[in-house]
Amino acid sequence: MIGAATTADAPATGPAATLPAWYPGWARDLADAYFSRTTCVFVLHGNVHDLIRAPAGGQDSYQSLPEFLSTQAFGSWDLVLGYDVSRGLRMLAGSDPERLRAMAQTLTARWGEPASWPRDPEKVLLMLEALIERTLLDDPANRKSIAVIFEYGQYLVPAGDLASLAQGSAARLVRFLSWAQNPHIKRVNIAFCLTADRVAEVNDRLVQNPYVTAIEVPLPDRDERRAFIDAAARGGQLAKATDFSSDQLADMSNGLSLVNLNVVLAQAVHADRRLDAQRFRQLKKTMIER
């Protein structure tokens, strides 16, 4: 979890000692980059639509990337917002109703009721710009920590040379670059995360900017796949529906995301056809081709 700095102008100390042992490597990279105070804009790319392990209550639970960021990486922050061009701007508080109410109280006082918030990206970025400027002027004791997660970032700042960028795309690119380079933002607890499955679809001028950190979210390794299989096998149905042990399934599922692996395991449990080697190879091939 990325905690808030104790003072507004002092760099936070390294987070390595405070992160739980199960934290994924890419999330540790994000925390290290954030605590270095060299950047506040992150581009997360690769396996961004997968499930992420987040143990709770002694058992494994799995979350989407936006949920993991809002409840784990920025779980102690005051305001965590999500945005995509389809759903617009929304508050992200996981399953914590008190945290959601606190966010709503703060943002409703500044922007009005959430139902009235715009969806247009230019208007949303202008609202966020005003919020950031106001936050920077607030007394440090009352200053809110703010994280904004932009899903499908390739549609906000698409790849292309300057001549091909539409006016709106160019303005959004400049806005993100200005946030990344702003030394005042980097001194306080404000962070922006853009997610995209293909980094090549995000504008190079953003991804390759020295003030922006691009982090790949990889496919799950064998240990992660084994943990997911163990969690799926708790009810006992999986053992009855397959010819394989958990170790064998973990080995055979190399190259699959947890979402794809979940589809394979669910079909094994609910289909009339038992999951043998031929059936597994067929399902795996279909998942990878997709």
Side-chain angles (χ1 to χ4, degrees), residues 53 60 62 220-230 250:
R53 176 174 171 263
D60 285 347
Y62 289 85
D221 61 20
R222 185 191 184 281
D223 290 341
E224 292 171 312
R225 298 194 305 273
R226 171 62 196 268
F228 184 80
I229 292 166
D230 286 343

Side-chain angles (χ1 to χ4, degrees), residues 24-225:
W26 64 264
R28 290 181 179 275
D29 292 343
L30 188 152
D32 288 340
Y34 172 79
F35 276 88
S36 73
R37 294 297 182 183
T38 57
T39 183
C40 61
V41 176
F42 304 88
V43 178
L44 303 178
H45 61 92
N47 192 33
V48 297
H49 301 303
D50 205 3
L51 299 171
I52 301 169
R53 176 174 171 263
Q59 289 190 334
D60 285 347
S61 63
Y62 289 85
Q63 302 176 328
S64 67
L65 178 58
E67 187 179 8
F68 181 89
L69 291 172
S70 64
T71 62
Q72 304 297 329
F74 303 110
S76 63
W77 287 35
D78 299 309
L79 302 174
V80 182
L81 297 164
Y83 175 79
D84 65 57
V85 294
S86 173
R87 291 176 290 177
L89 197 65
R90 61 200 183 280
M91 296 169 285
L92 301 179
S95 58
D96 187 342
E98 291 298 325
R99 189 180 182 209
L100 182 62
R101 277 193 286 271
M103 290 185 192
Q105 183 177 9
T106 298
L107 294 173
T108 300
R110 300 190 180 191
W111 292 343
E113 291 297 326
S116 68
W117 296 355
R119 294 193 177 197
D120 178 78
E122 277 70 36
K123 294 179 180 178
V124 168
L125 292 181
L126 283 173
M127 285 174 55
L128 292 173
E129 180 76 18
L131 176 65
I132 292 163
E133 290 179 354
R134 171 67 181 273
T135 300
L136 293 176
L137 294 174
D138 282 343
D139 183 271
N142 300 319
R143 185 175 291 147
K144 302 292 185 183
S145 49
I146 304 170
V148 188
I149 301 161
F150 298 92
E151 295 181 72
Y152 303 97
Q154 65 268 38
Y155 296 106
L156 289 173
V157 282
D161 56 35
L162 292 179
S164 66
L165 285 180
Q167 183 177 358
S169 298
R172 294 193 292 272
L173 173 60
V174 171
R175 177 94 54 192
F176 281 109
L177 290 174
S178 68
W179 287 341
Q181 297 170 16
N182 190 320
H184 303 293
I185 293 178
K186 286 183 282 192
R187 291 193 189 108
V188 300
N189 291 295
I190 298 177
F192 310 94
C193 295
L194 293 88
T195 70
D197 48 1
R198 299 178 182 175
V199 70
E201 294 180 346
V202 182
N203 196 281
D204 283 346
R205 290 178 178 266
L206 182 69
V207 175
Q208 297 178 7
N209 188 279
Y211 294 101
V212 175
T213 297
I215 299 172
E216 181 179 6
V217 181
L219 285 168
D221 61 20
R222 185 191 184 281
D223 290 341
E224 292 171 312
R225 298 194 305 273

